[in-house]
Amino acid sequence: MSALAPTLEAYFTDRLQAQRQASPQTIVAYRDAWRLFLQYVSAATRKSPAQLDFSDLHAGCVANFLQWLEQERHNTVRTRNARLAAIHAFFHYAAYRHPEHSALIQQVLAIPFKRYDQPHIDFLTTTETEALLAVVDRSTWVGRRDYALLVLVLQTGLRVSELTQLTVGDVDVGPGAAVRCQGKGRKRRVTPLTPATAATLKAWLAERPGAAHQPLFPTVRGGPMSTDAVQWLLTKYGKMATHSCDSLAHKHLTPHVLRHTCAMNLLTSGVDITVIALWLGHESLQATQIYVHADMAIKEQALARTAPVGETPSRYRPPDALLAFLASL
């Protein structure tokens, strides 16, 4: 066995788990990145992963791997950068344990992250939200569970990982109703619940009795729901809702879209952006600024303030379709 294998094992057990106490999500993400990287290098060098050494993981190999991710696997730039972050983290650790490979390690660490355009923020309108909730069959146990889950995430903006980790003891539906969760960076936060959301969860808890440590939204077998299960039910209800709301057919419905919807509802209601950042558990205000850019109402208000004196601000209206066709001849 080469020096690479025991160093990689020590990185995951000693550095990530024992020293940094990284979250399970971080460990899984780094594990998947390295498993994919080792499989790629193994196929390129025709060596088993246990036989690979630091010399096989040179900067050129890492660059080829990143290019392969984008061109062959059709990964996005954000996924490419996430894989590179996992590689960089290990090489930072290896620099202290293997100074004899310092030149190779520095070359790998010099590989930059790729810049990318900020994606458009998708969120649901009030009509789309009502259509989504309306298609849930609340006459069944699964339907009532899904309805409570959707109502909760639309009001609180929880991440899907936070949502699936909720237990019965994390919810308080009495006076001062709130939900407690542990987000990124092991930060605990408490989000208040509206009377409507609290009433929905109170009805669900009455039907779903259990110990405080048991999952709030269990599967039919009693275990916690997976993130894939949440995505599956969103896809199912999204397709059903398109029959009553055509605009949903043009949106890729994901748990994060519901999180965006919560943020946009808070913003349009006049909630300060600093409060929204605390509400969503953002590390900095920069992550919350995307919602300000996505809100056309705020931009139109700014435009109205710059209108010339004596003129009534108005929004552009396209010409009549028939007249526009005749004008184009």
mmCIF file of all heavy atoms in Angstrom, residues 134-181:
data_model
loop_
_atom_site.group_PDB
_atom_site.id
_atom_site.type_symbol
_atom_site.label_atom_id
_atom_site.label_comp_id
_atom_site.label_asym_id
_atom_site.label_seq_id
_atom_site.Cartn_x
_atom_site.Cartn_y
_atom_site.Cartn_z
ATOM 1 N N ALA A 134 -53.089 22.478 -2.786
ATOM 2 C CA ALA A 134 -54.452 22.012 -3.018
ATOM 3 C C ALA A 134 -54.506 20.584 -3.552
ATOM 4 O O ALA A 134 -55.507 19.893 -3.350
ATOM 5 C CB ALA A 134 -55.175 22.952 -3.982
ATOM 6 N N VAL A 135 -53.449 20.133 -4.235
ATOM 7 C CA VAL A 135 -53.492 18.805 -4.853
ATOM 8 C C VAL A 135 -53.136 17.696 -3.859
ATOM 9 O O VAL A 135 -53.280 16.518 -4.187
ATOM 10 C CB VAL A 135 -52.536 18.726 -6.063
ATOM 11 C CG1 VAL A 135 -52.967 19.706 -7.145
ATOM 12 C CG2 VAL A 135 -51.093 18.978 -5.641
ATOM 13 N N VAL A 136 -52.676 18.042 -2.672
ATOM 14 C CA VAL A 136 -52.312 17.020 -1.687
ATOM 15 C C VAL A 136 -53.585 16.381 -1.135
ATOM 16 O O VAL A 136 -54.484 17.081 -0.657
ATOM 17 C CB VAL A 136 -51.478 17.630 -0.546
ATOM 18 C CG1 VAL A 136 -51.073 16.546 0.447
ATOM 19 C CG2 VAL A 136 -50.237 18.319 -1.100
ATOM 20 N N ASP A 137 -53.646 15.081 -1.214
ATOM 21 C CA ASP A 137 -54.815 14.334 -0.732
ATOM 22 C C ASP A 137 -54.727 14.183 0.790
ATOM 23 O O ASP A 137 -54.042 13.302 1.304
ATOM 24 C CB ASP A 137 -54.881 12.958 -1.403
ATOM 25 C CG ASP A 137 -56.119 12.173 -0.985
ATOM 26 O OD1 ASP A 137 -56.993 12.764 -0.318
ATOM 27 O OD2 ASP A 137 -56.207 10.979 -1.323
ATOM 28 N N ARG A 138 -55.454 15.014 1.506
ATOM 29 C CA ARG A 138 -55.373 15.024 2.967
ATOM 30 C C ARG A 138 -56.302 14.005 3.616
ATOM 31 O O ARG A 138 -56.438 13.988 4.841
ATOM 32 C CB ARG A 138 -55.676 16.423 3.475
ATOM 33 C CG ARG A 138 -54.645 17.459 2.995
ATOM 34 C CD ARG A 138 -55.096 18.878 3.188
ATOM 35 N NE ARG A 138 -55.266 19.217 4.586
ATOM 36 C CZ ARG A 138 -55.727 20.391 5.019
ATOM 37 N NH1 ARG A 138 -56.077 21.319 4.125
ATOM 38 N NH2 ARG A 138 -55.858 20.632 6.311
ATOM 39 N N SER A 139 -56.928 13.156 2.801
ATOM 40 C CA SER A 139 -57.770 12.102 3.364
ATOM 41 C C SER A 139 -56.949 10.870 3.746
ATOM 42 O O SER A 139 -57.468 9.961 4.382
ATOM 43 C CB SER A 139 -58.854 11.696 2.355
ATOM 44 O OG SER A 139 -58.272 11.108 1.196
ATOM 45 N N THR A 140 -55.655 10.846 3.375
ATOM 46 C CA THR A 140 -54.780 9.716 3.701
ATOM 47 C C THR A 140 -53.700 10.158 4.680
ATOM 48 O O THR A 140 -53.402 11.355 4.814
ATOM 49 C CB THR A 140 -54.109 9.164 2.430
ATOM 50 O OG1 THR A 140 -53.221 10.165 1.886
ATOM 51 C CG2 THR A 140 -55.146 8.793 1.384
ATOM 52 N N TRP A 141 -53.093 9.181 5.354
ATOM 53 C CA TRP A 141 -52.030 9.477 6.317
ATOM 54 C C TRP A 141 -50.832 10.106 5.624
ATOM 55 O O TRP A 141 -50.269 11.101 6.100
ATOM 56 C CB TRP A 141 -51.617 8.186 7.028
ATOM 57 C CG TRP A 141 -50.549 8.366 8.055
ATOM 58 C CD1 TRP A 141 -50.733 8.652 9.379
ATOM 59 C CD2 TRP A 141 -49.128 8.274 7.863
ATOM 60 N NE1 TRP A 141 -49.525 8.751 10.022
ATOM 61 C CE2 TRP A 141 -48.518 8.523 9.119
ATOM 62 C CE3 TRP A 141 -48.324 8.004 6.761
ATOM 63 C CZ2 TRP A 141 -47.140 8.506 9.290
ATOM 64 C CZ3 TRP A 141 -46.940 7.994 6.924
ATOM 65 C CH2 TRP A 141 -46.363 8.244 8.174
ATOM 66 N N VAL A 142 -50.452 9.551 4.482
ATOM 67 C CA VAL A 142 -49.307 10.086 3.739
ATOM 68 C C VAL A 142 -49.599 11.503 3.264
ATOM 69 O O VAL A 142 -48.737 12.390 3.312
ATOM 70 C CB VAL A 142 -48.957 9.171 2.550
ATOM 71 C CG1 VAL A 142 -47.902 9.824 1.649
ATOM 72 C CG2 VAL A 142 -48.449 7.826 3.044
ATOM 73 N N GLY A 143 -50.834 11.732 2.794
ATOM 74 C CA GLY A 143 -51.190 13.068 2.330
ATOM 75 C C GLY A 143 -51.145 14.100 3.440
ATOM 76 O O GLY A 143 -50.673 15.226 3.243
ATOM 77 N N ARG A 144 -51.614 13.740 4.623
ATOM 78 C CA ARG A 144 -51.573 14.687 5.742
ATOM 79 C C ARG A 144 -50.133 14.949 6.186
ATOM 80 O O ARG A 144 -49.789 16.064 6.581
ATOM 81 C CB ARG A 144 -52.420 14.147 6.901
ATOM 82 C CG ARG A 144 -53.917 14.159 6.607
ATOM 83 C CD ARG A 144 -54.727 13.819 7.855
ATOM 84 N NE ARG A 144 -54.585 12.420 8.240
ATOM 85 C CZ ARG A 144 -55.330 11.421 7.772
ATOM 86 N NH1 ARG A 144 -56.259 11.670 6.864
ATOM 87 N NH2 ARG A 144 -55.149 10.185 8.200
ATOM 88 N N ARG A 145 -49.294 13.918 6.120
ATOM 89 C CA ARG A 145 -47.876 14.124 6.423
ATOM 90 C C ARG A 145 -47.239 15.072 5.417
ATOM 91 O O ARG A 145 -46.529 16.025 5.784
ATOM 92 C CB ARG A 145 -47.134 12.786 6.392
ATOM 93 C CG ARG A 145 -45.638 12.884 6.661
ATOM 94 C CD ARG A 145 -44.895 11.698 6.091
ATOM 95 N NE ARG A 145 -44.985 11.657 4.637
ATOM 96 C CZ ARG A 145 -44.499 10.663 3.879
ATOM 97 N NH1 ARG A 145 -43.928 9.625 4.465
ATOM 98 N NH2 ARG A 145 -44.601 10.710 2.559
ATOM 99 N N ASP A 146 -47.495 14.834 4.136
ATOM 100 C CA ASP A 146 -46.906 15.672 3.097
ATOM 101 C C ASP A 146 -47.418 17.106 3.176
ATOM 102 O O ASP A 146 -46.659 18.059 2.957
ATOM 103 C CB ASP A 146 -47.210 15.087 1.720
ATOM 104 C CG ASP A 146 -46.546 13.733 1.497
ATOM 105 O OD1 ASP A 146 -45.673 13.376 2.308
ATOM 106 O OD2 ASP A 146 -46.904 13.052 0.522
ATOM 107 N N TYR A 147 -48.687 17.269 3.499
ATOM 108 C CA TYR A 147 -49.248 18.618 3.610
ATOM 109 C C TYR A 147 -48.583 19.378 4.750
ATOM 110 O O TYR A 147 -48.204 20.546 4.587
ATOM 111 C CB TYR A 147 -50.754 18.531 3.833
ATOM 112 C CG TYR A 147 -51.430 19.881 3.905
ATOM 113 C CD1 TYR A 147 -51.774 20.573 2.753
ATOM 114 C CD2 TYR A 147 -51.727 20.470 5.140
ATOM 115 C CE1 TYR A 147 -52.395 21.817 2.814
ATOM 116 C CE2 TYR A 147 -52.342 21.706 5.216
ATOM 117 C CZ TYR A 147 -52.677 22.377 4.047
ATOM 118 O OH TYR A 147 -53.280 23.612 4.114
ATOM 119 N N ALA A 148 -48.421 18.735 5.897
ATOM 120 C CA ALA A 148 -47.760 19.390 7.031
ATOM 121 C C ALA A 148 -46.320 19.734 6.693
ATOM 122 O O ALA A 148 -45.803 20.795 7.064
ATOM 123 C CB ALA A 148 -47.823 18.489 8.261
ATOM 124 N N LEU A 149 -45.646 18.837 5.970
ATOM 125 C CA LEU A 149 -44.253 19.080 5.573
ATOM 126 C C LEU A 149 -44.150 20.294 4.655
ATOM 127 O O LEU A 149 -43.288 21.167 4.849
ATOM 128 C CB LEU A 149 -43.707 17.831 4.893
ATOM 129 C CG LEU A 149 -42.240 17.820 4.443
ATOM 130 C CD1 LEU A 149 -41.691 16.390 4.482
ATOM 131 C CD2 LEU A 149 -42.071 18.371 3.027
ATOM 132 N N LEU A 150 -45.033 20.369 3.657
ATOM 133 C CA LEU A 150 -44.985 21.482 2.707
ATOM 134 C C LEU A 150 -45.317 22.808 3.379
ATOM 135 O O LEU A 150 -44.665 23.821 3.125
ATOM 136 C CB LEU A 150 -45.955 21.219 1.553
ATOM 137 C CG LEU A 150 -45.600 20.062 0.612
ATOM 138 C CD1 LEU A 150 -46.709 19.836 -0.408
ATOM 139 C CD2 LEU A 150 -44.278 20.324 -0.093
ATOM 140 N N VAL A 151 -46.333 22.794 4.236
ATOM 141 C CA VAL A 151 -46.702 24.024 4.943
ATOM 142 C C VAL A 151 -45.538 24.516 5.799
ATOM 143 O O VAL A 151 -45.233 25.715 5.846
ATOM 144 C CB VAL A 151 -47.958 23.786 5.802
ATOM 145 C CG1 VAL A 151 -48.187 24.951 6.758
ATOM 146 C CG2 VAL A 151 -49.178 23.603 4.908
ATOM 147 N N LEU A 152 -44.866 23.588 6.463
ATOM 148 C CA LEU A 152 -43.751 23.962 7.341
ATOM 149 C C LEU A 152 -42.595 24.559 6.563
ATOM 150 O O LEU A 152 -42.062 25.614 6.930
ATOM 151 C CB LEU A 152 -43.280 22.746 8.131
ATOM 152 C CG LEU A 152 -42.081 22.978 9.062
ATOM 153 C CD1 LEU A 152 -42.442 23.987 10.149
ATOM 154 C CD2 LEU A 152 -41.608 21.678 9.681
ATOM 155 N N VAL A 153 -42.189 23.916 5.478
ATOM 156 C CA VAL A 153 -41.023 24.400 4.744
ATOM 157 C C VAL A 153 -41.329 25.701 4.005
ATOM 158 O O VAL A 153 -40.458 26.573 3.875
ATOM 159 C CB VAL A 153 -40.496 23.311 3.773
ATOM 160 C CG1 VAL A 153 -41.447 23.109 2.605
ATOM 161 C CG2 VAL A 153 -39.110 23.675 3.263
ATOM 162 N N LEU A 154 -42.564 25.885 3.545
ATOM 163 C CA LEU A 154 -42.925 27.130 2.867
ATOM 164 C C LEU A 154 -42.918 28.314 3.823
ATOM 165 O O LEU A 154 -42.651 29.444 3.435
ATOM 166 C CB LEU A 154 -44.300 26.990 2.218
ATOM 167 C CG LEU A 154 -44.346 26.217 0.889
ATOM 168 C CD1 LEU A 154 -45.777 25.865 0.529
ATOM 169 C CD2 LEU A 154 -43.693 27.016 -0.224
ATOM 170 N N GLN A 155 -43.226 28.056 5.107
ATOM 171 C CA GLN A 155 -43.259 29.156 6.071
ATOM 172 C C GLN A 155 -41.910 29.403 6.733
ATOM 173 O O GLN A 155 -41.568 30.535 7.053
ATOM 174 C CB GLN A 155 -44.315 28.869 7.138
ATOM 175 C CG GLN A 155 -44.634 30.088 8.006
ATOM 176 C CD GLN A 155 -44.136 29.936 9.431
ATOM 177 O OE1 GLN A 155 -44.648 29.119 10.169
ATOM 178 N NE2 GLN A 155 -43.155 30.725 9.833
ATOM 179 N N THR A 156 -41.118 28.357 6.919
ATOM 180 C CA THR A 156 -39.856 28.506 7.645
ATOM 181 C C THR A 156 -38.638 28.591 6.731
ATOM 182 O O THR A 156 -37.599 29.095 7.148
ATOM 183 C CB THR A 156 -39.657 27.330 8.608
ATOM 184 O OG1 THR A 156 -39.636 26.104 7.851
ATOM 185 C CG2 THR A 156 -40.787 27.261 9.624
ATOM 186 N N GLY A 157 -38.739 28.066 5.500
ATOM 187 C CA GLY A 157 -37.595 28.088 4.598
ATOM 188 C C GLY A 157 -36.474 27.156 5.010
ATOM 189 O O GLY A 157 -35.306 27.417 4.708
ATOM 190 N N LEU A 158 -36.788 26.072 5.690
ATOM 191 C CA LEU A 158 -35.756 25.132 6.120
ATOM 192 C C LEU A 158 -35.081 24.480 4.921
ATOM 193 O O LEU A 158 -35.709 24.224 3.892
ATOM 194 C CB LEU A 158 -36.367 24.033 7.000
ATOM 195 C CG LEU A 158 -36.942 24.444 8.353
ATOM 196 C CD1 LEU A 158 -37.578 23.243 9.033
ATOM 197 C CD2 LEU A 158 -35.868 25.046 9.236
ATOM 198 N N ARG A 159 -33.790 24.213 5.053
ATOM 199 C CA ARG A 159 -33.092 23.411 4.056
ATOM 200 C C ARG A 159 -33.630 21.983 4.120
ATOM 201 O O ARG A 159 -34.119 21.540 5.161
ATOM 202 C CB ARG A 159 -31.584 23.414 4.307
ATOM 203 C CG ARG A 159 -30.933 24.792 4.239
ATOM 204 C CD ARG A 159 -29.442 24.679 4.518
ATOM 205 N NE ARG A 159 -28.758 25.967 4.436
ATOM 206 C CZ ARG A 159 -28.570 26.789 5.462
ATOM 207 N NH1 ARG A 159 -29.042 26.442 6.659
ATOM 208 N NH2 ARG A 159 -27.935 27.935 5.307
ATOM 209 N N VAL A 160 -33.503 21.264 3.011
ATOM 210 C CA VAL A 160 -34.049 19.907 2.982
ATOM 211 C C VAL A 160 -33.339 19.011 3.990
ATOM 212 O O VAL A 160 -33.963 18.129 4.609
ATOM 213 C CB VAL A 160 -33.963 19.323 1.554
ATOM 214 C CG1 VAL A 160 -32.510 19.161 1.099
ATOM 215 C CG2 VAL A 160 -34.696 17.991 1.468
ATOM 216 N N SER A 161 -32.032 19.226 4.210
ATOM 217 C CA SER A 161 -31.312 18.429 5.206
ATOM 218 C C SER A 161 -31.808 18.733 6.614
ATOM 219 O O SER A 161 -31.891 17.855 7.469
ATOM 220 C CB SER A 161 -29.807 18.686 5.115
ATOM 221 O OG SER A 161 -29.507 20.059 5.319
ATOM 222 N N GLU A 162 -32.143 19.994 6.869
ATOM 223 C CA GLU A 162 -32.686 20.379 8.172
ATOM 224 C C GLU A 162 -34.088 19.797 8.359
ATOM 225 O O GLU A 162 -34.457 19.373 9.453
ATOM 226 C CB GLU A 162 -32.728 21.904 8.285
ATOM 227 C CG GLU A 162 -31.361 22.564 8.183
ATOM 228 C CD GLU A 162 -31.425 24.056 7.971
ATOM 229 O OE1 GLU A 162 -32.524 24.561 7.655
ATOM 230 O OE2 GLU A 162 -30.385 24.732 8.089
ATOM 231 N N LEU A 163 -34.851 19.783 7.284
ATOM 232 C CA LEU A 163 -36.219 19.287 7.333
ATOM 233 C C LEU A 163 -36.272 17.795 7.662
ATOM 234 O O LEU A 163 -37.057 17.357 8.505
ATOM 235 C CB LEU A 163 -36.908 19.568 6.000
ATOM 236 C CG LEU A 163 -38.376 19.184 5.875
ATOM 237 C CD1 LEU A 163 -39.235 20.079 6.756
ATOM 238 C CD2 LEU A 163 -38.824 19.278 4.415
ATOM 239 N N THR A 164 -35.424 17.016 6.988
ATOM 240 C CA THR A 164 -35.452 15.560 7.193
ATOM 241 C C THR A 164 -34.886 15.151 8.552
ATOM 242 O O THR A 164 -35.138 14.040 9.001
ATOM 243 C CB THR A 164 -34.665 14.856 6.075
ATOM 244 O OG1 THR A 164 -33.324 15.387 6.017
ATOM 245 C CG2 THR A 164 -35.338 15.059 4.732
ATOM 246 N N GLN A 165 -34.126 16.039 9.197
ATOM 247 C CA GLN A 165 -33.550 15.726 10.500
ATOM 248 C C GLN A 165 -34.435 16.145 11.666
ATOM 249 O O GLN A 165 -34.111 15.853 12.827
ATOM 250 C CB GLN A 165 -32.181 16.399 10.644
ATOM 251 C CG GLN A 165 -31.114 15.838 9.729
ATOM 252 C CD GLN A 165 -29.807 16.625 9.804
ATOM 253 O OE1 GLN A 165 -29.651 17.499 10.642
ATOM 254 N NE2 GLN A 165 -28.872 16.306 8.931
ATOM 255 N N LEU A 166 -35.554 16.804 11.386
ATOM 256 C CA LEU A 166 -36.427 17.258 12.459
ATOM 257 C C LEU A 166 -37.006 16.076 13.231
ATOM 258 O O LEU A 166 -37.376 15.053 12.647
ATOM 259 C CB LEU A 166 -37.572 18.104 11.895
ATOM 260 C CG LEU A 166 -37.238 19.504 11.400
ATOM 261 C CD1 LEU A 166 -38.497 20.174 10.863
ATOM 262 C CD2 LEU A 166 -36.623 20.352 12.503
ATOM 263 N N THR A 167 -37.083 16.240 14.533
ATOM 264 C CA THR A 167 -37.704 15.234 15.390
ATOM 265 C C THR A 167 -38.960 15.821 16.029
ATOM 266 O O THR A 167 -39.211 17.038 15.948
ATOM 267 C CB THR A 167 -36.738 14.770 16.489
ATOM 268 O OG1 THR A 167 -36.419 15.890 17.343
ATOM 269 C CG2 THR A 167 -35.459 14.210 15.885
ATOM 270 N N VAL A 168 -39.725 14.971 16.664
ATOM 271 C CA VAL A 168 -40.947 15.419 17.332
ATOM 272 C C VAL A 168 -40.628 16.468 18.397
ATOM 273 O O VAL A 168 -41.367 17.440 18.585
ATOM 274 C CB VAL A 168 -41.679 14.211 17.944
ATOM 275 C CG1 VAL A 168 -42.880 14.673 18.767
ATOM 276 C CG2 VAL A 168 -42.125 13.244 16.855
ATOM 277 N N GLY A 169 -39.513 16.299 19.080
ATOM 278 C CA GLY A 169 -39.143 17.234 20.134
ATOM 279 C C GLY A 169 -38.657 18.578 19.629
ATOM 280 O O GLY A 169 -38.493 19.511 20.430
ATOM 281 N N ASP A 170 -38.424 18.712 18.319
ATOM 282 C CA ASP A 170 -37.946 19.983 17.766
ATOM 283 C C ASP A 170 -39.070 20.978 17.529
ATOM 284 O O ASP A 170 -38.808 22.133 17.197
ATOM 285 C CB ASP A 170 -37.213 19.744 16.439
ATOM 286 C CG ASP A 170 -35.883 19.039 16.636
ATOM 287 O OD1 ASP A 170 -35.267 19.229 17.696
ATOM 288 O OD2 ASP A 170 -35.458 18.299 15.727
ATOM 289 N N VAL A 171 -40.311 20.545 17.672
ATOM 290 C CA VAL A 171 -41.460 21.399 17.362
ATOM 291 C C VAL A 171 -42.241 21.701 18.631
ATOM 292 O O VAL A 171 -42.536 20.807 19.419
ATOM 293 C CB VAL A 171 -42.382 20.738 16.316
ATOM 294 C CG1 VAL A 171 -43.584 21.621 16.024
ATOM 295 C CG2 VAL A 171 -41.615 20.452 15.038
ATOM 296 N N ASP A 172 -42.556 22.970 18.814
ATOM 297 C CA ASP A 172 -43.387 23.407 19.932
ATOM 298 C C ASP A 172 -44.599 24.125 19.342
ATOM 299 O O ASP A 172 -44.457 25.168 18.696
ATOM 300 C CB ASP A 172 -42.615 24.346 20.852
ATOM 301 C CG ASP A 172 -43.418 24.739 22.087
ATOM 302 O OD1 ASP A 172 -44.552 24.262 22.230
ATOM 303 O OD2 ASP A 172 -42.888 25.530 22.897
ATOM 304 N N VAL A 173 -45.795 23.565 19.524
ATOM 305 C CA VAL A 173 -47.001 24.137 18.929
ATOM 306 C C VAL A 173 -47.867 24.836 19.977
ATOM 307 O O VAL A 173 -49.008 25.209 19.687
ATOM 308 C CB VAL A 173 -47.817 23.049 18.205
ATOM 309 C CG1 VAL A 173 -47.053 22.533 17.006
ATOM 310 C CG2 VAL A 173 -48.180 21.909 19.147
ATOM 311 N N GLY A 174 -47.335 25.026 21.174
ATOM 312 C CA GLY A 174 -48.073 25.739 22.210
ATOM 313 C C GLY A 174 -47.895 27.244 22.062
ATOM 314 O O GLY A 174 -47.575 27.749 20.979
ATOM 315 N N PRO A 175 -48.074 27.997 23.135
ATOM 316 C CA PRO A 175 -47.822 29.448 23.089
ATOM 317 C C PRO A 175 -46.374 29.719 22.677
ATOM 318 O O PRO A 175 -45.445 29.081 23.170
ATOM 319 C CB PRO A 175 -48.097 29.900 24.528
ATOM 320 C CG PRO A 175 -49.021 28.852 25.078
ATOM 321 C CD PRO A 175 -48.610 27.571 24.444
ATOM 322 N N GLY A 176 -46.190 30.679 21.777
ATOM 323 C CA GLY A 176 -44.853 30.939 21.245
ATOM 324 C C GLY A 176 -44.370 29.802 20.368
ATOM 325 O O GLY A 176 -43.209 29.386 20.476
ATOM 326 N N ALA A 177 -45.253 29.284 19.509
ATOM 327 C CA ALA A 177 -44.934 28.134 18.662
ATOM 328 C C ALA A 177 -43.689 28.403 17.822
ATOM 329 O O ALA A 177 -43.510 29.493 17.269
ATOM 330 C CB ALA A 177 -46.119 27.808 17.757
ATOM 331 N N ALA A 178 -42.825 27.394 17.740
ATOM 332 C CA ALA A 178 -41.568 27.545 17.011
ATOM 333 C C ALA A 178 -41.017 26.167 16.663
ATOM 334 O O ALA A 178 -41.461 25.150 17.206
ATOM 335 C CB ALA A 178 -40.548 28.323 17.837
ATOM 336 N N VAL A 179 -40.056 26.154 15.737
ATOM 337 C CA VAL A 179 -39.368 24.924 15.365
ATOM 338 C C VAL A 179 -37.870 25.158 15.515
ATOM 339 O O VAL A 179 -37.363 26.230 15.171
ATOM 340 C CB VAL A 179 -39.713 24.500 13.914
ATOM 341 C CG1 VAL A 179 -39.331 25.578 12.905
ATOM 342 C CG2 VAL A 179 -39.021 23.187 13.550
ATOM 343 N N ARG A 180 -37.170 24.181 16.072
ATOM 344 C CA ARG A 180 -35.733 24.278 16.287
ATOM 345 C C ARG A 180 -35.022 23.330 15.335
ATOM 346 O O ARG A 180 -35.466 22.193 15.129
ATOM 347 C CB ARG A 180 -35.383 23.930 17.739
ATOM 348 C CG ARG A 180 -35.935 24.895 18.754
ATOM 349 C CD ARG A 180 -35.724 24.394 20.178
ATOM 350 N NE ARG A 180 -36.551 23.199 20.432
ATOM 351 C CZ ARG A 180 -37.816 23.254 20.807
ATOM 352 N NH1 ARG A 180 -38.411 24.428 20.986
ATOM 353 N NH2 ARG A 180 -38.498 22.143 21.020
ATOM 354 N N CYS A 181 -33.911 23.783 14.773
ATOM 355 C CA CYS A 181 -33.155 22.933 13.856
ATOM 356 C C CYS A 181 -31.674 23.254 13.971
ATOM 357 O O CYS A 181 -31.286 24.292 14.517
ATOM 358 C CB CYS A 181 -33.623 23.116 12.408
ATOM 359 S SG CYS A 181 -33.155 24.693 11.672
#
